[in-house]
Amino acid sequence: MNSIELIPAIDLIDGKCVRLTKGDYAQKKVYNEDPVAVARHFEALGFTRLHVVDLDGAKSKHIVNDGVLRAITDATNLTVDFGGGIKTEEDIEKAFAAGASMVTVGSIAVTEPNLFLRWLDHYGAHRMILGADVRNGKISINGWKEDSSEDLLPFLKKYVDHGVRNVLCTEISKDGTLQGPATLLYKEIMDAYPQLHLIASGGVSSNADIEALQREGIPAVVFGKAFYEGKIDVARLPLHRPTGHGLAKRIIPCLDVKNGETVKGTNFVNLRSAGDPVELGKAYSDAGADELVFLDITASFEGRKTFTDMVTRVAREINIPFTVGGGINSLEDVDRLLNAGADKISVNSAAIRRPELITEITRHYGSQVCVCAIDARQDPDGWHCYVKGGRERVELGLFDWAREVADRGAGEILFTSMDHDGVQQGFANEALARLADEVDIPIIASGGAGKPEHFRDAFVKGKADAALAASVFHFGEIKIPDLKAYLREEGINVRM
């Protein structure tokens, strides 16, 4: 069974966390007066994404609660999508400036389609969510106060044809009723447009509702009222069953891509073929991987075209986040890959050559997009960074560079110990633990996975937030479901 992305919601009126019923402002219930505390609670439970709706903004036709949005993004590491009252480019810029990773646009896509298409081209499909609020089969606009003449599927088609890949569909008659979601409607959308990352919204009342959506292959679901009223058991949510403490640890297969195929070596050399990256990516997604990393290890001009085409094909096949890297030197490179469908990008040598690149990426796209990869080796004079695929040492210490990376706003560090890479003798746990102690962003362990115990040690001894591996997954030495079952038995919090 495919995974389903679980997205809790915070709806805002007067800076408070509320819920409406069928979009009726007269049927407002305040659940918490401190939405920041609510967001922190979601993060502590292990959620990684949050849906925030500015109901004051939807009513006023311009953003109102951007201050609350900023407070939430400052206080958490959640990926936040934001909607409500976005009518102008100024509103979009205000939302992004307040820390939103994506914005949801509904009414403008109905009333001013050319304007929405310009925004789609300007900001990229990865940052735009098409809001499709449905009542009696018609798209509703302006805070659900008016019904348009647009039928749902033709409305979606014209934007899917222009590259839209994120759609938030709310069946208004279900919203806030706790009577179950419009599962058949969402299935109809997915049957027509299987490439969409569809977010189902409205009516969720229980874990069983979420499981039913998952069985039908719906990629994501938003829920609010059912959570606030205690009708959802978080510990039993599909793909999120915490058995340890803290946020769930992530398992990340890595695919090194050369000339359109996956390869793997030892200590960065002696490459051998490991299969088609798109097929492998889909297999890992279906097997329960939390994320994927694809690295273009040639990054020549022609190689870049091949790799970008591959990214587009991967995005159509999987529904988990994936990071891409290799040859990224500018914001134009980042745009190219994000528009192709990547969720995050990884920079390495280019960031060492020009550290300002990290700052530029994080300011333009947000910290959550930027993963800084660091390849390092423990030389006689200490841990030093290497560039150009590990071929050239630079006079830059691992820990000094990691601190600068974090200070410049990178969202995560992917640390590969070159001495451990491909030899399957375990991760560099002492260095990992020191990194975890010295920087306050997540650390992904890479290099050395050979057996399940190595992953456990990376999380326990190395204090890593995620563990990345290649050979043991590519060649079937470790199966992801078996690995996660083992980690759960060892008391490690992983998503199943």
Side-chain angles (χ1 to χ4, degrees):
M1 189 185 303
N2 289 335
S3 61
I4 185 168
E5 186 177 20
L6 305 171
I7 311 174
I10 292 178
D11 292 357
L12 298 170
I13 291 180
D14 297 329
K16 300 174 183 177
C17 182
V18 308
R19 293 297 292 176
L20 307 181
T21 299
K22 298 183 182 181
D24 185 355
Y25 284 74
Q27 298 186 62
K28 176 186 74 174
K29 183 173 181 179
V30 177
Y31 284 95
N32 197 298
E33 296 192 359
D34 187 353
V36 175
V38 175
R40 284 194 181 118
H41 179 57
F42 285 136
E43 185 175 40
L45 289 172
F47 295 102
T48 59
R49 182 165 168 184
L50 179 66
H51 177 61
V52 176
V53 182
D54 184 353
L55 291 175
D56 292 315
K59 197 172 185 179
S60 304
K61 299 185 180 181
H62 62 84
I63 288 181
V64 174
N65 284 293
D66 54 304
V68 180
L69 172 63
R70 166 52 68 190
I72 289 172
T73 59
D74 282 347
T76 71
N77 290 313
L78 294 167
T79 297
V80 180
D81 63 76
F82 182 82
I86 294 179
K87 306 293 185 183
T88 66
E89 190 166 322
E90 181 183 359
D91 290 323
I92 296 177
E93 294 289 346
K94 188 180 290 187
F96 287 152
S101 300
M102 294 166 278
V103 294
T104 301
V105 178
S107 298
I108 288 295
V110 176
T111 60
E112 299 183 58
N114 289 334
L115 178 59
F116 177 73
L117 288 175
R118 288 202 300 274
W119 291 348
L120 190 67
D121 289 340
H122 180 69
Y123 293 103
H126 62 288
R127 304 200 79 185
M128 304 293 291
I129 300 173
L130 175 61
D133 302 326
V134 185
R135 181 162 44 207
N136 300 321
K138 302 291 185 181
I139 300 296
S140 184
I141 59 175
N142 294 327
W144 301 353
K145 295 192 291 292
E146 305 172 42
D147 291 337
S148 74
S149 61
E150 295 269 10
D151 292 315
L152 174 62
L153 290 182
F155 171 75
L156 293 178
K157 183 179 189 308
K158 65 184 176 183
Y159 289 121
V160 170
D161 290 346
H162 279 88
V164 161
R165 60 188 181 93
N166 299 297
V167 171
L168 172 68
C169 183
T170 302
E171 169 51 73
I172 297 170
S173 67
K174 297 281 190 177
D175 188 70
T177 65
L178 299 179
Q179 294 179 358
T183 306
L184 293 179
L185 173 67
Y186 304 133
K187 186 176 186 304
E188 183 181 8
I189 295 172
M190 290 305 299
D191 287 344
Y193 309 113
Q195 70 270 45
L196 283 180
H197 187 73
L198 176 66
I199 307 168
S201 172
V204 171
S205 65
S206 65
N207 291 64
D209 287 339
I210 294 172
E211 291 161 3
L213 290 169
Q214 183 184 11
R215 283 194 298 272
E216 294 297 341
I218 309 305
V221 58
V222 164
F223 49 87
K225 188 173 185 177
F227 176 87
Y228 297 123
E229 299 202 352
K231 297 183 181 298
I232 289 179
D233 181 354
V234 174
R236 291 182 49 248
L237 280 177
L239 313 179
H240 179 68
R241 301 173 184 173
T243 59
H245 299 287
L247 299 182
K249 304 296 187 180
R250 291 169 288 151
I251 301 299
I252 307 176
C254 178
L255 297 91
D256 292 341
V257 180
K258 180 180 181 181
N259 300 325
E261 67 174 356
T262 309
V263 297
K264 186 56 190 151
T266 302
N267 301 127
F268 285 32
V269 295
N270 300 322
L271 301 178
R272 57 175 171 151
S273 176
D276 179 76
V278 179
E279 292 180 2
L280 279 173
K282 186 177 189 306
Y284 288 138
S285 178
D286 293 344
D290 297 295
E291 298 184 17
L292 296 172
V293 170
F294 293 83
L295 299 177
D296 180 358
I297 65 170
T298 49
S300 65
F301 175 76
E302 192 57 36
R304 283 183 178 178
K305 183 179 184 303
T306 300
F307 186 76
T308 304
D309 291 343
M310 181 216 73
V311 170
T312 300
R313 290 186 291 126
V314 168
R316 292 177 182 147
E317 295 293 336
I318 71 173
N319 58 6
I320 58 175
F322 71 104
T323 301
V324 297
I328 296 173
N329 298 293
S330 66
L331 292 183
E332 289 76 14
D333 292 328
V334 178
D335 266 335
R336 170 173 55 86
L337 294 166
L338 293 180
N339 286 329
D343 296 284
K344 309 176 192 178
I345 60 89
S346 172
V347 291
N348 190 339
S349 300
I352 288 179
R353 288 194 304 269
R354 192 171 70 84
E356 295 81 8
L357 179 62
I358 297 172
T359 309
E360 293 167 3
I361 293 170
T362 57
R363 285 180 178 173
H364 195 79
Y365 301 101
S367 293
Q368 77 288 339
V369 166
C370 185
V371 178
C372 189
I374 303 177
D375 299 333
R377 172 177 282 138
Q378 190 171 23
D379 295 329
D381 57 343
W383 281 95
H384 277 272
C385 300
Y386 282 72
V387 296
K388 298 182 179 179
R391 294 186 296 273
E392 181 180 308
R393 170 174 154 157
V394 295
E395 293 307 311
L396 187 62
L398 165 63
F399 304 104
D400 290 339
W401 176 230
R403 285 190 293 270
E404 181 173 353
V405 163
D407 290 343
R408 287 185 176 274
E412 297 178 272
I413 289 173
L414 169 55
F415 164 55
T416 301
S417 168
M418 295 171 59
D419 296 313
H420 294 73
D421 181 69
V423 299
Q424 301 187 1
Q425 296 298 311
F427 295 92
N429 292 318
E430 289 186 11
L432 283 167
R434 182 174 168 187
L435 284 171
D437 289 339
E438 294 195 12
V439 300
D440 59 359
I441 60 175
I443 305 296
I444 304 170
S446 171
K451 53 186 180 180
E453 291 83 355
H454 294 154
F455 290 87
R456 177 200 63 198
D457 291 345
F459 295 135
V460 176
K461 298 178 181 179
K463 306 179 185 178
D465 298 275
L468 176 147
S471 300
V472 292
F473 296 142
H474 299 340
F475 302 115
E477 298 165 39
I478 295 178
K479 305 291 187 183
I480 290 175
D482 296 341
L483 172 61
K484 287 195 168 186
Y486 164 79
L487 292 172
R488 285 186 66 194
E489 291 175 359
E490 293 292 313
I492 308 296
N493 178 6
V494 292
R495 295 182 179 90
M496 300 298 289

